Amino acid sequence: MTIDERTLPSAEIELSVAFHDLDPMGVVWHGHYVRYLELARCELLATIGYDYPQMEASGFAWPVIDLSLRYVQPLRYRQRIRVEARLREWEHRLRIDYLLRDADSGRRLTRARSDQVAVRISDGAMQLASPPALVERLLAWQRDALGTKAP
């Protein structure tokens, strides 16, 4: 069975902007957005059973090699936001798209994307293809999501 590119996992978290995340202008400091993305990414990876402890157990680290953010609207104190993380690519890297929305209005606030690559922990070698442990978990997730049986 191969992974159906039309059905890749996504996850969403909701949070309220904390006072300690604000800059002197009363909006979220741009660097804190990365933490919000990480929380959503961890939820996405947990959805497929390949969060950071499982990555390490499989012998691979997955450092972020590229990150981009497009700030559309500022985030403010106690604003409730939803952060969606959606897997877009998995064969040679993990490419995850993010969308931050206002939880009440649904208004788009920020878009982002991250790329991660598999690095073998034992020798630090970057992998040119995603390791079997990730592929196996994606296949299992898809079987469950699509209601199909294992081959």
Side-chain angles (χ1 to χ4, degrees), residues 41-56:
R41 179 172 50 242
C42 286
E43 187 66 25
L44 171 63
L45 295 171
T47 297
I48 63 170
Y50 198 59
D51 201 354
Y52 292 105
Q54 292 82 22
M55 288 176 175
E56 184 178 14

Side-chain angles (χ1 to χ4, degrees), residues 20 24-25 27 29 34 43 51-52 59 61 69-70 72 74 78-79 83 85 87-88 96 130-132 136 144 150:
H20 59 80
M25 299 301 294
V27 298
W29 176 66
V34 177
E43 187 66 25
D51 201 354
Y52 292 105
L69 287 100
R70 168 110 19 207
V72 179
R78 297 193 52 92
Q79 183 177 13
V83 185
L87 184 64
R88 291 293 182 199
I96 301 171
S130 292
E136 291 164 9
D144 290 345

Side-chain angles (χ1 to χ4, degrees), residues 23-137:
D23 68 12
M25 299 301 294
V27 298
V28 171
W29 176 66
H30 67 277
H32 289 304
Y33 285 73
V34 177
R35 182 167 19 98
Y36 303 158
L37 303 181
E38 178 69 16
L39 292 168
R41 179 172 50 242
C42 286
E43 187 66 25
L44 171 63
L45 295 171
T47 297
I48 63 170
Y50 198 59
D51 201 354
Y52 292 105
Q54 292 82 22
M55 288 176 175
E56 184 178 14
S58 73
F60 296 95
W62 288 80
V64 172
I65 61 164
D66 192 27
L67 176 66
S68 66
L69 287 100
R70 168 110 19 207
Y71 303 98
V72 179
Q73 294 286 320
L75 304 181
R76 302 196 180 274
Y77 176 60
R78 297 193 52 92
Q79 183 177 13
R80 289 183 30 247
I81 61 171
R82 289 195 179 111
V83 185
E84 179 189 22
R86 181 173 297 279
L87 184 64
R88 291 293 182 199
E89 295 179 27
W90 58 270
E91 289 177 292
H92 305 287
R93 63 183 169 198
L94 289 179
R95 173 164 281 176
I96 301 171
D97 289 340
Y98 306 88
L99 182 59
L100 282 71
R101 291 187 178 276
D102 181 86
D104 296 324
S105 70
R107 186 177 75 242
R108 182 175 64 191
L109 303 168
T110 303
R111 290 180 302 148
R113 187 194 80 227
S114 67
D115 290 338
Q116 295 172 255
V117 294
V119 173
R120 196 169 38 235
I121 293 171
S122 63
D123 63 5
M126 184 177 4
Q127 306 301 292
L128 299 178
S130 292
L134 171 66
V135 177
E136 291 164 9
R137 284 174 173 84

